[in-house]
Amino acid sequence: MPRGQQNKIVSAKGGFALWLVLLLAMLLGGAMQWQQGAKIQTDILAMLPHLQQDKLTETALETVEKKLANQVYIAVMAENDNQAIHAAQQLMASLQSQPQQSFIAIRSGADNQLEQLAKVYFEHRFSLLTQEQAHALETGNWQALLATAQNQLYSAFGLANSQLLANDPLLLFPANLLALSPNSKLRRQQGVLLTDTDNGVAAIVMAKGRDSAFSPTAQQQQILALESAFSQVNQQYPQISFLKAGALFHAIAATESAKQEISKIGLISLLGIVLLVWLAFRSVMPLVAATLTLTTGVVFAFVATLSLFGELHLLTLVFGTSLIGVAIDYSFHFYCEKQTHPNDNASDTIKRIFPALTLALATSASAFIAIGFTPFPGMQQVAVFCAAGLIGAYLTLLLVFPLLGNYPLKHTQGLGFAQAYLNGLQRVFTPTKTVQKAVLMLLPVAVLVILFFGLSQLTANDDIRQLQQSPEAITAEENQLRQLLSGGTDNQFILVSSANEQDLLQTLEQLTPVLGAAIANNEIAQAVGLSRFMPSIARQQHHYQLQQQLYQQHLADIIDQMGLDNDIQPHLMAELNQANSVWLTPQTVLKHANDDLKTLWLGDVASDDNAQQFGAIVLLGGIHSLPSLAQRLDSHNWALGQVKVIDKVGDISTLMGQYRQLTFQLLLWVFALASVAFSVKYGIKLALAIVAVPAFAVLLTLACLGLVGSSISLFHALAFILVLGIGIDYSLFFAEAKHSNSGVMMAIFMSACSTLLAFGLLALSQTHAIHFFGLTLLFGISFAFVLAPFISFFTRKSL
């Protein structure tokens, strides 16, 4: 055996051994990462960008998200009150007795803390008045309050008793208690919150998942616990039905959808590529080599992602299935080139394609890395996953194929078809007849017309809700339950802040009538704040002065007309005087408040510059027009504090729009820089032709998206980065091929087919973001494939 050939064999075996070492090291690193807590992340919120907010806003967002996260709402639909109450009590008992304790804080809409709060408020009754009571006293119309008290006194459903009358002869306090729960649709019986429905009564039950609703394990435990509890209730009350709402049910739907899409897209892509390789080469070895390439790429992708992020998002796997269609391109180019030059050994074949292959890796990896500069952690994972996978596939080609790629290939018709296709293009676009020339001249006009009409129809939509579209059945059930809860609460809320505690309470009081006007104008359905639970000292002093004036001037008349004993007067006046300067404070209320009220009070939060800030949250429900509400709040003069709407969804959507624009600007810069860089090696004309292929593919794809009515988002823009990278790959292989175009044409045809099998199938996804990504690549890769062979016209002319 010649010495040169022996050296090549030794070198090939050394490369293969190095590849084995790298692969084993990556597998070992991945196993260590998994042992140290690396996991599959299914929380859709983990994909969202991180907003730069001040400390108070961050605290408010964390508080609201913590309150709403993992919360489950259940409506027990019954025929009457007794049935609803007993079924709700049994449901809560069943959830509490589950052995795995999947849920905590299981309750209905009321608790004993309300009674404790009532005692606190009664001690401060002389400084508490409703808005109507205060207005009556301010206008001197105390007789109206007297008439109301007399009606309560003689009503069969009145709350009056001798002890209450002795301490509150005008019965002002019961109205204050009722004002704490202004929602008239909901009522409490036996500790269960009830509301009337069209067909009966609904009892409301709430529970909080012990673990995250976005954990697949927690999802299974929680849904099994609910189904078991429902079954136990239905055994005793078969006619009972349930409505459910909460992030849990959306997360389960998202997880199931992602799992199905991973298996479906991955399986179809893999089967399609196996069939493609077999038809092209009619040999097992290319399949083995392609499998090794793909396996190594996936291992590199997994380990690199887990090493950098400590977790792998489920949607990264959905996007990452596209790696199948890109990483396997390297083996296509190798075997197509080897089939074109059957007498060359594997090392010579690699040397021939090495320049184009390396440039292709650089451009594709750069395209993925560019995606990594977006603010989305999930897309950053996709970038690392795919870039690392390509590097793994590239190293496999260089280190493994010199040893395994020397097996002879059977002759197939692929090269002949590829050459026939190129010859056909040559004949069509170099016409000799006048009619052909006329038709060919009309082609640019037709393309311009398509571009004009398509691009003119483009619109933008950056709504973050496109990330996940829940099934209609889940959304409808949730909306029905929201109606029972009078709108429930939404993720958007109002943040009120001031320099000190009392200014904050007064600002909350100023906000109350503004929100009342917003409700009357149908901008929101309800607002839940602390103003009625925590009156400011200024308001308490005013109310105290009104009651002090009332009792000093008219107490004798009140006692007489209410038919009370005159002996209560000294005691009552003594209590009134004792209440002077003893004011209700937020700390007193919070000491006896439930978690729902405590959530709304942020208290003192140190700002970034260590300035003192006090904050409180007002939750919103049934939002119909958030912009109108924000405009209403902005137009109001808040003298003692600041009031602003916090809309994380809207803020992230705005950020998405900004990054969409930046991504398209990045595309323009990449086109310009690529033209300059390629002109150094290929000359200006060929360099412009190389860049023109992905540029026209992007323009034609934008036109097609406009014609089919798909609004442009950041996910379209990210897909265009890949269209750019893959389109330049196609152009580069034709630019490097020069004399031998048939092998390149065959490889690019197989590459386009495999990429479309992977990327194009993403267009079938039920998740809008993935669908948009796949649809854009379906159009873009198709156009890049059609346009790339025209590079051969330039290379022939340049010879």
Side-chain angles (χ1 to χ4, degrees):
M1 182 181 296
R3 182 176 297 275
Q5 189 172 354
Q6 289 179 345
N7 291 337
K8 287 183 178 179
I9 292 175
V10 172
S11 177
K13 290 181 178 179
F16 184 79
L18 178 60
W19 171 80
L20 280 177
V21 171
L22 287 174
L23 185 61
L24 288 174
M26 296 298 287
L27 288 172
L28 182 61
M32 291 177 62
Q33 289 288 332
W34 200 261
Q35 288 292 329
Q36 293 173 3
K39 61 179 181 178
I40 301 295
Q41 173 63 264
T42 59
D43 187 349
I44 193 71
L45 300 178
M47 284 194 72
L48 301 182
H50 301 298
L51 294 172
Q52 296 296 324
Q53 302 279 13
D54 60 85
K55 186 66 176 177
L56 185 63
T57 304
E58 285 183 2
T59 303
L61 283 168
E62 290 174 2
T63 302
V64 173
E65 288 173 1
K66 184 178 179 181
K67 171 182 170 57
L68 298 179
N70 309 327
Q71 192 78 20
V72 172
Y73 300 88
I74 304 165
V76 182
M77 312 296 288
E79 297 175 353
N80 53 61
D81 287 4
N82 285 335
Q83 191 180 80
I85 292 170
H86 292 148
Q89 290 173 340
Q90 183 177 347
L91 176 63
M92 290 187 285
S94 177
L95 289 175
Q96 289 168 347
S97 63
Q98 293 289 334
Q100 291 181 326
Q101 285 291 302
S102 300
F103 291 98
I104 57 176
I106 304 165
R107 60 191 176 88
S108 189
D111 50 40
N112 295 330
Q113 289 172 314
L114 185 61
E115 297 177 1
Q116 297 176 1
L117 270 178
K119 295 178 182 178
V120 173
Y121 288 128
F122 186 75
E123 293 173 0
H124 295 83
R125 63 191 179 280
F126 294 112
S127 56
L128 299 177
L129 291 172
T130 66
Q131 184 177 353
E132 294 77 11
Q133 291 171 346
H135 179 71
L137 294 180
E138 287 167 349
T139 57
N141 189 19
W142 64 273
Q143 290 88 354
L145 300 179
L146 178 64
T148 302
Q150 288 174 333
N151 288 334
Q152 290 187 49
L153 181 62
Y154 299 112
S155 170
F157 303 99
L159 300 175
N161 58 54
S162 58
Q163 184 178 359
L164 178 61
L165 286 168
N167 292 280
D168 183 20
L170 275 181
L171 298 177
L172 300 176
F173 181 69
N176 280 275
L177 276 187
L178 291 175
L180 297 179
S181 303
N183 191 341
S184 59
K185 288 183 63 176
L186 301 174
R187 63 184 191 277
R188 178 192 178 196
Q189 285 189 30
Q190 300 181 37
V192 175
L193 198 64
L194 301 176
T195 182
D196 295 324
T197 67
D198 293 337
N199 300 316
V201 179
I204 307 300
V205 174
M206 290 167 274
K208 193 175 185 68
R210 180 178 295 277
D211 299 313
S212 172
F214 298 99
S215 164
T217 303
Q219 288 173 11
Q220 292 301 315
Q221 292 177 351
Q222 292 175 21
I223 198 66
L224 288 175
L226 286 173
E227 290 175 352
S228 174
F230 292 163
S231 176
Q232 292 181 30
V233 172
N234 282 137
Q235 286 178 4
Q236 184 171 353
Y237 304 100
Q239 66 275 34
I240 291 289
S241 60
F242 304 93
L243 292 178
K244 309 178 297 296
L248 171 66
F249 310 105
H250 296 278
I252 290 175
T255 302
E256 290 301 317
S257 176
K259 286 181 179 177
Q260 291 176 9
E261 288 171 5
I262 289 171
S263 58
K264 179 169 60 177
I265 293 173
L267 180 62
I268 295 175
S269 298
L270 193 59
L271 292 177
I273 289 170
V274 169
L275 180 62
L276 189 66
V277 173
W278 176 257
L279 292 176
F281 304 115
R282 301 295 176 90
S283 175
V284 175
M285 186 50 65
L287 280 175
V288 173
T291 303
L292 279 178
T293 304
L294 182 59
T295 302
T296 306
V298 170
V299 169
F300 272 63
F302 262 90
V303 176
T305 307
L306 291 177
S307 298
L308 288 178
F309 299 97
E311 62 183 19
L312 186 66
H313 200 286
L314 196 60
L315 287 184
T316 301
L317 293 178
V318 178
F319 281 107
T321 56
S322 59
L323 182 64
I324 296 173
V326 181
I328 208 164
D329 290 354
Y330 298 154
S331 59
F332 289 164
H333 283 288
F334 172 84
Y335 280 106
C336 288
E337 188 67 25
K338 184 169 178 58
Q339 198 171 60
T340 306
H341 301 88
N343 296 324
D344 288 355
N345 61 34
S347 298
D348 294 332
T349 302
I350 290 175
K351 288 180 181 178
R352 185 175 284 108
I353 66 173
F354 180 78
L357 202 65
T358 304
L359 279 173
L361 172 68
T363 53
S364 296
S366 298
F368 283 116
I369 290 171
I371 293 178
F373 285 100
T374 62
F376 291 83
M379 297 312 296
Q380 291 167 0
Q381 284 192 19
V382 171
V384 171
F385 188 92
C386 292
L390 289 180
I391 293 172
Y394 177 80
L395 291 175
T396 304
L397 180 73
L398 296 184
L399 300 175
V400 176
F401 279 51
L403 184 64
L404 301 183
N406 284 313
Y407 289 88
L409 296 177
K410 295 180 181 179
H411 177 74
T412 63
Q413 297 298 320
L415 290 176
F417 291 145
Q419 190 60 54
Y421 178 76
L422 289 173
N423 292 338
L425 287 180
Q426 186 74 24
R427 287 194 299 271
V428 170
F429 288 95
T430 54
T432 56
K433 297 181 181 180
T434 305
V435 176
Q436 288 179 313
K437 291 181 179 180
V439 172
L440 195 60
M441 291 178 64
L442 291 175
L443 183 60
V445 177
V447 172
L448 288 175
V449 170
I450 292 173
L451 288 175
F452 174 78
F453 282 104
L455 295 176
S456 64
Q457 297 298 314
L458 281 177
T459 58
N461 184 359
D462 301 302
D463 194 340
I464 195 65
R465 295 176 184 88
Q466 294 179 101
L467 272 175
Q468 181 62 46
Q469 194 74 14
S470 295
E472 185 176 350
I474 294 177
T475 304
E477 188 172 359
E478 183 174 272
N479 290 336
Q480 189 175 352
L481 183 51
R482 277 178 173 270
Q483 291 299 318
L484 296 177
L485 292 171
S486 299
T489 54
D490 294 300
N491 289 324
Q492 297 96 333
F493 60 92
I494 294 174
L495 175 61
V496 183
S497 60
S498 294
N500 60 66
E501 189 174 83
Q502 289 303 312
D503 285 352
L504 175 63
L505 294 177
Q506 291 188 54
T507 305
L508 285 169
E509 291 167 353
Q510 294 172 13
L511 176 62
T512 300
V514 177
L515 292 177
I519 294 173
N521 202 42
N522 202 32
E523 295 167 7
I524 56 175
Q526 68 172 3
V528 182
L530 289 169
S531 61
R532 62 180 184 270
F533 296 97
M534 297 181 181
S536 65
I537 291 179
R539 172 167 291 189
Q540 292 181 66
Q541 289 174 338
H542 178 59
H543 289 173
Y544 178 83
Q545 291 168 3
L546 289 174
Q547 292 198 61
Q548 184 183 48
Q549 183 179 4
L550 170 69
Y551 289 133
Q552 286 176 349
Q553 296 179 2
H554 304 289
L555 181 56
D557 293 335
I558 294 171
I559 291 175
D560 180 55
Q561 296 191 42
M562 290 291 292
L564 303 176
D565 193 335
N566 286 326
D567 292 342
I568 69 170
Q569 185 170 350
H571 173 71
L572 187 62
M573 291 303 297
E575 285 194 330
L576 176 66
N577 294 330
Q578 189 177 357
N580 189 16
S581 301
V582 181
W583 312 119
L584 186 66
T585 64
Q587 290 71 31
T588 304
V589 175
L590 293 173
K591 183 178 179 180
H592 302 282
N594 58 23
D595 290 338
D596 292 337
L597 284 182
K598 291 178 181 178
T599 298
L600 303 180
W601 180 257
L602 300 177
D604 184 10
V605 178
S607 63
D608 297 330
D609 57 358
N610 292 324
Q612 194 177 36
Q613 263 190 319
F614 285 79
I617 293 168
V618 178
L619 295 177
L620 303 175
I623 298 174
H624 302 297
S625 179
L626 195 64
S628 298
L629 176 63
Q631 184 177 3
R632 180 185 296 275
L633 297 178
D634 291 340
S635 63
H636 198 278
N637 181 25
W638 307 103
L640 300 175
Q642 292 183 337
V643 178
K644 61 180 180 179
V645 173
I646 303 298
D647 179 15
K648 185 176 181 179
V649 172
D651 291 341
I652 293 175
S653 299
T654 300
L655 188 62
M656 283 184 67
Q658 295 172 357
Y659 274 88
R660 170 179 52 80
Q661 296 174 2
L662 288 175
T663 303
F664 278 111
Q665 293 173 13
L666 173 65
L667 282 174
L668 293 176
W669 278 105
V670 171
F671 281 129
L673 293 174
S675 300
V676 174
F678 292 150
S679 64
V680 175
K681 181 176 182 180
Y682 300 108
I684 187 65
K685 289 185 178 180
L686 185 54
L688 290 176
I690 292 172
V691 175
V693 168
F696 275 110
V698 168
L699 285 175
L700 288 168
T701 301
L702 281 170
C704 288
L705 291 173
L707 291 174
V708 300
S710 179
S711 299
I712 301 300
S713 69
L714 176 60
F715 297 98
H716 294 86
L718 296 176
F720 281 125
I721 293 178
L722 296 186
V723 172
L724 165 64
I726 295 172
I728 287 180
D729 285 357
Y730 294 171
S731 301
L732 284 173
F733 277 102
F734 272 110
E736 286 289 330
K738 293 184 171 59
H739 295 285
S740 176
N741 285 319
S742 59
V744 173
M745 185 68 245
M746 181 179 175
I748 287 179
F749 170 76
M750 296 181 68
S751 172
C753 288
S754 63
T755 303
L756 289 175
L757 277 170
F759 283 128
L761 288 174
L762 294 179
L764 302 176
S765 173
Q766 298 299 311
T767 303
H768 285 188
I770 301 176
H771 166 75
F772 295 148
F773 194 83
L775 183 64
T776 304
L777 286 163
L778 179 64
F779 285 130
I781 299 303
S782 300
F783 286 126
F785 167 75
V786 171
L787 294 171
F790 290 97
I791 298 295
S792 62
F793 295 175
F794 289 89
T795 56
R796 289 179 184 178
K797 292 178 182 178
S798 62
L799 293 176

